[in-house]
Amino acid sequence: DVKVTQSSRYLVKRTGEKVFLECVQDMDHENMFWYRQDPGLGLRLIYFSYDVKMKEKGDIPEGYSVSREKKERFSLILESASTNQTSMYLCASYTTGGNTEAFFGQGTRLTVV
Amino acid sequence: QQQVKQSPQSLIVQKGGISIINCAYENTAFDYFPWYQQFPGKGPALLIAIRPDVSEKKEGRFTISFNKSAKQFSLHIMDSQPGDSATYFCAASGPSSGTYKYIFGTGTRLKVLA
């Protein structure tokens, strides 16, 4: 059974904290991304990674950074959490070429207080 | 950033009716057009997908119609049921600028009334 696993379902952090969201996939996929999902705004791409140590900024990278040191793991880092980063965060992975389904994690609901 | 434009943002349909969601894409190199279904508290999951060499694909009550010349595709849900109430995302993927991109629409929240 293929899996994308996000480290936490729910997180509550304080303003100014450094926050790490972890995502692990077991399908040997080259590509991984992080989206945030907000009511009325749909899915907005934060960062995309197409290989180990390779990354591209998405639509809303400000306030975020990412790390991909191993193929299976893609981490999203909130350098200094702010209340406007309260959101649902979704990680997904997919392989390159062909009929390529994207597999999503269950999401992390982050609340910054 | 390349876009996939999705409409409507929300949709209310009576049980037994037809739900229609539309998407338009920009990059003619895209070669895979999936639809994802998301229930509250869950990540999106693949519902149905089409490649551009066919104009229609049907799986049960779900049909994708694809118009390559217009760069548009749509999801039709026949005989809509309350259990179909969810958020639906279209997507387009394919080679772009040396990588294989996956671009999502903004989503449509569907509510099917019993």
Side-chain angles (χ1 to χ4, degrees), chain A:
Chain A
D1 194 18
V2 296
K3 274 190 178 175
V4 176
T5 304
Q6 295 183 227
S7 53
S8 304
R9 287 296 304 273
Y10 301 96
L11 275 178
V12 180
K13 296 293 182 181
R14 295 193 181 276
T15 301
E17 277 193 77
K18 191 168 186 176
V19 181
F20 293 85
L21 303 183
E22 306 286 344
C23 176
V24 177
Q25 52 98 359
D26 64 0
M27 296 164 281
D28 200 36
H29 286 169
E30 304 88 349
N31 306 289
M32 299 185 74
F33 48 56
W34 278 101
Y35 273 90
R36 65 177 281 178
Q37 184 175 19
D38 301 288
L41 297 176
L43 294 173
R44 293 184 291 167
L45 181 64
I46 305 172
Y47 267 98
F48 162 65
S49 171
Y50 52 93
D51 203 348
V52 175
K53 297 188 186 295
M54 307 304 290
K55 62 186 179 185
E56 284 186 8
K57 292 180 180 179
D59 298 320
I60 51 165
E62 297 78 18
Y64 303 95
S65 63
V66 290
S67 173
R68 189 144 180 227
E69 297 297 318
K70 294 184 177 181
K71 191 175 185 179
E72 67 269 20
R73 185 180 298 270
F74 191 35
S75 303
L76 180 69
I77 304 154
L78 286 66
E79 298 291 344
S80 177
S82 64
T83 55
N84 62 14
Q85 293 178 309
T86 292
S87 186
M88 169 69 85
Y89 291 87
L90 289 164
C91 171
S93 72
Y94 60 99
T95 192
T96 295
N99 296 321
T100 167
E101 177 180 354
F103 294 88
F104 282 83
Q106 78 277 28
T108 297
R109 173 73 65 184
L110 173 67
T111 302
V112 182
V113 298

Side-chain angles (χ1 to χ4, degrees), chain B residues 65-80:
Chain B
S65 297
F66 186 81
N67 185 329
K68 188 174 181 179
S69 61
K71 294 189 286 185
Q72 295 176 348
F73 58 111
S74 60
L75 176 69
H76 296 237
I77 306 174
M78 311 301 288
D79 186 26
S80 299

Side-chain angles (χ1 to χ4, degrees), chain A residues 37 42 59 94 99-100 102, chain B residues 1 36 38 41 51 100 102 106:
Chain A
Q37 184 175 19
D59 298 320
Y94 60 99
N99 296 321
T100 167
Chain B
Q1 179 75 7
Y36 285 78
Q38 183 186 30
R51 294 186 70 84
Y100 203 86
Y102 220 106
T106 49

Side-chain angles (χ1 to χ4, degrees), chain A residues 35 41-43 59, chain B residues 1-7 21-28 30 32-35 66 71-74 88-94 101-108:
Chain A
Y35 273 90
L41 297 176
L43 294 173
D59 298 320
Chain B
Q1 179 75 7
Q2 297 162 38
Q3 289 187 346
V4 174
K5 296 181 180 179
Q6 182 173 347
S7 63
I21 306 170
N22 300 298
C23 282
Y25 64 98
E26 298 176 353
N27 189 339
T28 55
F30 286 159
Y32 182 67
F33 300 90
W35 286 88
F66 186 81
K71 294 189 286 185
Q72 295 176 348
F73 58 111
S74 60
Y88 292 81
F89 295 95
C90 63
S93 70
K101 292 292 196 302
Y102 220 106
I103 310 295
F104 283 87
T106 49
T108 297

